[in-house]
Amino acid sequence: MRNTKAAAWHSCLLFLICALTYIGCHGDEDFNNRYDPLSPGFVPPEWQILANLDEDSTQQWIKQCDDRTPGCQGSLSTVTQPAMNGRALKLSLTGGNSSSNVRFYKDFPTDSITEEFIFDLFFKYDPVTTFNNAPNPSIIQAIEFSVSKWQDSTRWQWAIQWENVDAGGAPGKPDIRIWSGMDWVDTGIKLELNTTWHHLTLHGEIRDKQARYISLKIDEGFYELDRYKYQPRYEDKPDKTAIHIQLDGAIELKAYDVFVDEVLLLFR
């Protein structure tokens, strides 16, 4: 049944992704949000949609240090520049110990029948502020984007990490990696992400009780990930769904910002 239904909505979904990518190609100055990607007809009706999740940083977005770096410092706020549609969420790693990481997440209620998710957003990073206006992306160890579901103390997670430099600061990156539930797995995708707006779409599902990656889209690149399937893990937490964005600092920790806009979560 799922394969039959997939054929029916797949073209609509691709149209939505392509339309959003077109929007993302425009700069801050000439972006005009005349197009509503959530209008009737763009998304199959069986999907539920949570839109504009970046609009208000004071409502339910939570800042948290990564367990490995409890001394992290970070902040979040809503800004009007840079932004694609008037307002964007500004996430900042502002200090802490070497290699500190700061996580920003947002929780939602869930139900037992939800088994497929699409996490879609635009983002850009700014490594300029602490380097005399000279871009230095090596201060960014990695940026992570994730969606998780908890049900009956079981967690399924789909996460993408843009690893800019490795944990020791060695060159040879960037790599796009996915989370297996235990560690990061290199996909072989290498992308140079600059300081313009980028569009990311992560698509995953629960199948045969596993967390299955379906696809990843970054800007113009579309990548099938359906060979990656991982077992969930036990976590004694209430039933919920959550999205998170994590900023990882390099060994020589320097502050940097990541701006996110047009954040959507689709599920069914």
Side-chain angles (χ1 to χ4, degrees), residues 10-57:
H10 187 256
S11 60
C12 294
L13 181 60
L14 285 178
F15 182 84
L16 169 66
I17 293 173
C18 291
L20 287 172
T21 300
Y22 171 78
I23 293 175
C25 292
H26 292 69
D28 299 349
E29 296 78 9
D30 55 6
F31 177 79
N32 190 347
N33 193 17
R34 300 173 182 171
Y35 165 73
D36 179 6
L38 304 182
S39 297
F42 285 103
V43 180
E46 64 267 25
W47 286 91
Q48 299 183 61
I49 304 166
L50 299 172
N52 298 318
L53 300 177
D54 54 281
E55 286 294 316
D56 189 350
S57 65

Coordinates of all heavy atoms in Angstrom, one line a residue, residues 10-57:
H10 N 4.4 11.4 -5.1 CA 5.9 11.7 -5.3 C 6.1 12.9 -6.2 O 6.9 13.8 -5.9 CB 6.6 10.5 -5.8 CG 8.1 10.6 -5.9 ND1 8.7 10.9 -7.1 CD2 9.0 10.6 -5.0 CE1 10.0 10.9 -6.9 NE2 10.2 10.8 -5.6
S11 N 5.3 13.0 -7.3 CA 5.5 14.1 -8.2 C 5.1 15.4 -7.5 O 5.8 16.4 -7.8 CB 4.6 13.9 -9.5 OG 3.3 13.8 -9.1
C12 N 4.1 15.4 -6.7 CA 3.7 16.6 -6.0 C 4.8 17.1 -5.0 O 5.1 18.2 -4.9 CB 2.4 16.4 -5.2 SG 0.9 16.1 -6.2
L13 N 5.4 16.1 -4.4 CA 6.4 16.4 -3.4 C 7.6 17.0 -4.1 O 8.2 18.0 -3.7 CB 6.8 15.2 -2.6 CG 7.9 15.3 -1.6 CD1 7.5 16.3 -0.5 CD2 8.2 14.0 -0.9
L14 N 8.0 16.4 -5.2 CA 9.1 16.9 -6.0 C 8.9 18.3 -6.5 O 9.8 19.2 -6.5 CB 9.5 16.0 -7.2 CG 10.1 14.7 -6.8 CD1 10.3 13.9 -8.1 CD2 11.5 14.9 -6.1
F15 N 7.6 18.6 -6.9 CA 7.3 19.9 -7.3 C 7.5 20.9 -6.2 O 8.0 22.0 -6.3 CB 5.8 20.0 -7.8 CG 5.4 21.3 -8.3 CD1 5.8 21.7 -9.6 CD2 4.8 22.2 -7.5 CE1 5.4 23.0 -10.1 CE2 4.4 23.5 -8.0 CZ 4.7 23.9 -9.2
L16 N 7.0 20.6 -5.0 CA 7.2 21.4 -3.8 C 8.6 21.7 -3.5 O 9.0 22.8 -3.3 CB 6.5 20.7 -2.6 CG 6.8 21.4 -1.2 CD1 6.2 22.8 -1.1 CD2 6.3 20.5 -0.1
I17 N 9.5 20.7 -3.6 CA 10.9 20.8 -3.3 C 11.5 21.7 -4.3 O 12.3 22.6 -4.0 CB 11.6 19.5 -3.2 CG1 11.1 18.7 -2.0 CG2 13.1 19.6 -3.2 CD1 11.6 17.2 -2.0
C18 N 11.2 21.5 -5.6 CA 11.8 22.3 -6.7 C 11.4 23.8 -6.5 O 12.2 24.7 -6.8 CB 11.4 21.8 -8.0 SG 12.1 20.2 -8.4
A19 N 10.1 24.0 -6.2 CA 9.6 25.4 -6.0 C 10.4 26.1 -4.9 O 10.8 27.2 -5.0 CB 8.1 25.4 -5.8
L20 N 10.6 25.4 -3.8 CA 11.3 26.0 -2.7 C 12.7 26.2 -3.0 O 13.3 27.2 -2.6 CB 11.2 25.0 -1.5 CG 9.8 25.0 -0.8 CD1 9.8 23.9 0.3 CD2 9.5 26.3 -0.1
T21 N 13.3 25.3 -3.8 CA 14.7 25.5 -4.2 C 14.8 26.8 -5.1 O 15.7 27.6 -5.0 CB 15.2 24.3 -5.0 OG1 15.1 23.2 -4.2 CG2 16.7 24.5 -5.5
Y22 N 13.8 27.0 -6.0 CA 13.8 28.2 -6.8 C 13.8 29.5 -5.9 O 14.6 30.4 -6.2 CB 12.6 28.2 -7.7 CG 12.4 29.5 -8.4 CD1 13.2 29.8 -9.6 CD2 11.5 30.5 -8.0 CE1 13.1 31.0 -10.2 CE2 11.4 31.7 -8.7 CZ 12.1 31.9 -9.8 OH 12.0 33.1 -10.4
I23 N 13.0 29.5 -4.9 CA 13.0 30.6 -4.0 C 14.4 30.8 -3.3 O 14.9 31.9 -3.2 CB 11.9 30.4 -2.9 CG1 10.5 30.4 -3.5 CG2 12.0 31.4 -1.8 CD1 9.4 30.1 -2.5
G24 N 15.0 29.7 -2.9 CA 16.3 29.8 -2.3 C 17.4 30.3 -3.1 O 18.4 30.7 -2.6
C25 N 17.2 30.4 -4.4 CA 18.3 30.9 -5.3 C 18.3 32.4 -5.3 O 19.3 33.0 -5.8 CB 18.0 30.4 -6.8 SG 18.2 28.6 -7.0
H26 N 17.3 33.1 -4.7 CA 17.3 34.5 -4.7 C 18.0 35.0 -3.5 O 17.9 34.5 -2.4 CB 15.8 35.0 -4.7 CG 15.2 34.7 -6.1 ND1 14.8 33.5 -6.5 CD2 14.8 35.6 -7.1 CE1 14.3 33.5 -7.6 NE2 14.2 34.8 -8.0
G27 N 18.7 36.2 -3.6 CA 19.4 36.8 -2.5 C 18.4 37.4 -1.5 O 17.2 37.6 -1.8
D28 N 18.9 37.9 -0.4 CA 18.1 38.5 0.6 C 17.4 39.7 0.1 O 16.2 40.0 0.4 CB 19.0 39.0 1.8 CG 19.7 37.8 2.5 OD1 19.4 36.7 2.1 OD2 20.6 38.1 3.3
E29 N 18.1 40.5 -0.8 CA 17.5 41.8 -1.2 C 16.3 41.6 -2.1 O 15.4 42.4 -2.1 CB 18.6 42.6 -1.9 CG 19.7 43.0 -1.0 CD 20.7 41.9 -0.8 OE1 20.6 40.9 -1.4 OE2 21.6 42.1 0.1
D30 N 16.4 40.6 -3.0 CA 15.3 40.5 -4.0 C 14.3 39.4 -3.8 O 13.6 39.0 -4.6 CB 15.9 40.4 -5.5 CG 16.9 39.2 -5.6 OD1 17.0 38.5 -4.6 OD2 17.5 39.1 -6.6
F31 N 14.4 38.8 -2.6 CA 13.4 37.8 -2.2 C 12.1 38.4 -1.9 O 12.0 39.3 -1.2 CB 13.9 36.9 -1.1 CG 12.9 35.9 -0.6 CD1 12.8 34.7 -1.3 CD2 12.0 36.1 0.4 CE1 11.9 33.8 -1.0 CE2 11.1 35.2 0.8 CZ 11.0 34.0 0.1
N32 N 11.0 37.9 -2.6 CA 9.7 38.3 -2.3 C 8.8 37.1 -2.2 O 8.6 36.4 -3.1 CB 9.2 39.2 -3.5 CG 7.9 39.9 -3.2 OD1 7.2 39.6 -2.2 ND2 7.6 40.9 -4.0
N33 N 8.2 37.0 -1.0 CA 7.5 35.7 -0.7 C 6.1 35.8 -1.2 O 5.1 35.8 -0.5 CB 7.5 35.5 0.8 CG 7.0 34.1 1.1 OD1 7.0 33.2 0.3 ND2 6.7 33.9 2.4
R34 N 5.9 35.9 -2.5 CA 4.6 35.9 -3.1 C 4.0 34.5 -3.2 O 2.8 34.4 -3.4 CB 4.6 36.5 -4.5 CG 5.1 38.0 -4.6 CD 5.3 38.5 -6.0 NE 5.8 39.8 -6.0 CZ 6.2 40.4 -7.1 NH1 6.2 39.8 -8.3 NH2 6.7 41.6 -7.1
Y35 N 4.9 33.6 -3.1 CA 4.5 32.2 -3.3 C 4.3 31.5 -2.0 O 5.2 31.5 -1.1 CB 5.5 31.5 -4.2 CG 5.4 29.9 -4.1 CD1 4.4 29.3 -4.8 CD2 6.4 29.2 -3.4 CE1 4.4 27.9 -4.8 CE2 6.3 27.8 -3.4 CZ 5.3 27.2 -4.1 OH 5.2 25.8 -4.0
D36 N 3.2 30.9 -1.7 CA 3.0 30.1 -0.5 C 3.1 28.7 -0.8 O 2.2 28.1 -1.4 CB 1.6 30.4 0.1 CG 1.3 29.7 1.4 OD1 2.2 29.0 1.9 OD2 0.2 29.7 1.9
P37 N 4.2 28.0 -0.4 CA 4.4 26.6 -0.7 C 3.4 25.7 0.0 O 3.3 24.5 -0.4 CB 5.8 26.3 -0.2 CG 6.0 27.3 0.9 CD 5.3 28.6 0.4
L38 N 2.7 26.2 0.9 CA 1.7 25.3 1.6 C 0.3 25.5 1.1 O -0.7 25.1 1.7 CB 1.7 25.6 3.1 CG 3.1 25.4 3.7 CD1 3.1 25.6 5.2 CD2 3.7 24.0 3.4
S39 N 0.1 26.2 -0.1 CA -1.2 26.4 -0.6 C -1.8 25.0 -1.0 O -1.1 24.1 -1.3 CB -1.1 27.3 -1.9 OG -0.7 28.6 -1.5
P40 N -3.1 24.9 -1.0 CA -3.8 23.7 -1.4 C -3.3 23.3 -2.8 O -3.2 24.1 -3.7 CB -5.3 24.0 -1.4 CG -5.4 25.2 -0.5 CD -4.1 26.0 -0.6
G41 N -3.0 22.0 -3.0 CA -2.6 21.5 -4.3 C -1.1 21.2 -4.3 O -0.6 20.5 -5.2
F42 N -0.3 21.9 -3.5 CA 1.2 21.7 -3.5 C 1.6 20.5 -2.7 O 2.6 19.9 -2.9 CB 1.9 23.0 -3.0 CG 1.9 24.1 -4.1 CD1 1.0 25.1 -3.9 CD2 2.7 24.0 -5.2 CE1 1.0 26.1 -4.9 CE2 2.7 25.0 -6.1 CZ 1.8 26.1 -6.0
V43 N 0.9 20.2 -1.6 CA 1.2 19.1 -0.8 C 0.1 18.1 -0.7 O -1.1 18.5 -0.6 CB 1.5 19.6 0.7 CG1 1.9 18.4 1.6 CG2 2.6 20.6 0.6
P44 N 0.3 16.8 -0.9 CA -0.8 15.8 -0.8 C -1.5 15.9 0.5 O -1.0 16.2 1.5 CB 0.0 14.5 -0.9 CG 1.3 14.8 -1.6 CD 1.6 16.2 -1.2
P45 N -2.8 15.7 0.4 CA -3.7 16.0 1.6 C -3.4 15.1 2.8 O -3.8 15.5 3.9 CB -5.1 15.8 1.1 CG -5.0 15.0 -0.1 CD -3.6 15.3 -0.7
E46 N -2.8 14.0 2.6 CA -2.6 13.1 3.7 C -1.4 13.6 4.7 O -1.3 13.1 5.8 CB -2.3 11.6 3.3 CG -1.0 11.5 2.5 CD -1.2 11.5 1.0 OE1 -2.2 12.2 0.6 OE2 -0.4 11.0 0.2
W47 N -0.7 14.5 4.2 CA 0.4 15.1 5.0 C -0.1 16.1 6.0 O -1.0 16.9 5.6 CB 1.5 15.7 4.1 CG 2.4 14.8 3.4 CD1 2.2 14.2 2.2 CD2 3.6 14.2 3.9 NE1 3.2 13.4 1.8 CE2 4.1 13.3 2.8 CE3 4.3 14.3 5.0 CZ2 5.2 12.6 3.0 CZ3 5.5 13.6 5.2 CH2 5.9 12.7 4.1
Q48 N 0.4 16.1 7.2 CA 0.1 17.2 8.1 C 1.4 18.1 8.1 O 2.5 17.7 7.9 CB -0.1 16.7 9.5 CG -1.3 15.8 9.7 CD -1.5 15.3 11.1 OE1 -1.7 16.2 12.0 NE2 -1.5 14.0 11.3
I49 N 1.1 19.4 8.3 CA 2.2 20.4 8.0 C 2.3 21.3 9.2 O 1.3 21.9 9.7 CB 1.9 21.2 6.8 CG1 1.8 20.3 5.6 CG2 3.0 22.2 6.5 CD1 1.2 21.0 4.4
L50 N 3.5 21.5 9.7 CA 3.8 22.6 10.7 C 4.7 23.6 10.0 O 5.8 23.2 9.6 CB 4.5 22.0 11.9 CG 3.7 21.0 12.7 CD1 4.5 20.3 13.8 CD2 2.5 21.6 13.3
A51 N 4.3 24.8 9.8 CA 5.0 25.8 9.0 C 5.5 26.9 9.8 O 5.1 27.2 11.0 CB 4.1 26.3 7.9
N52 N 6.5 27.7 9.2 CA 7.0 28.9 9.9 C 7.5 28.6 11.3 O 7.3 29.4 12.2 CB 6.0 30.0 9.9 CG 5.6 30.4 8.5 OD1 6.4 30.5 7.6 ND2 4.3 30.6 8.3
L53 N 8.2 27.5 11.5 CA 8.7 27.2 12.8 C 9.8 28.0 13.3 O 10.2 28.0 14.5 CB 9.1 25.7 12.8 CG 8.0 24.7 12.4 CD1 8.5 23.3 12.4 CD2 6.8 24.8 13.4
D54 N 10.4 28.9 12.4 CA 11.5 29.8 12.8 C 11.0 31.1 13.3 O 11.8 31.9 13.8 CB 12.3 30.0 11.6 CG 11.5 30.5 10.4 OD1 10.8 29.7 9.7 OD2 11.5 31.7 10.1
E55 N 9.7 31.4 13.2 CA 9.2 32.8 13.3 C 9.4 33.4 14.7 O 9.6 34.5 14.9 CB 7.7 32.9 12.9 CG 7.5 32.8 11.4 CD 8.1 33.9 10.7 OE1 7.9 35.1 11.1 OE2 8.7 33.7 9.6
D56 N 9.3 32.6 15.8 CA 9.3 33.1 17.1 C 10.2 32.3 18.0 O 9.9 31.2 18.4 CB 7.9 33.2 17.7 CG 7.9 34.0 19.0 OD1 8.9 34.3 19.6 OD2 6.8 34.2 19.5
S57 N 11.4 32.8 18.3 CA 12.4 32.1 19.1 C 11.9 31.9 20.5 O 12.5 31.1 21.3 CB 13.7 32.8 19.0 OG 13.7 34.0 19.7

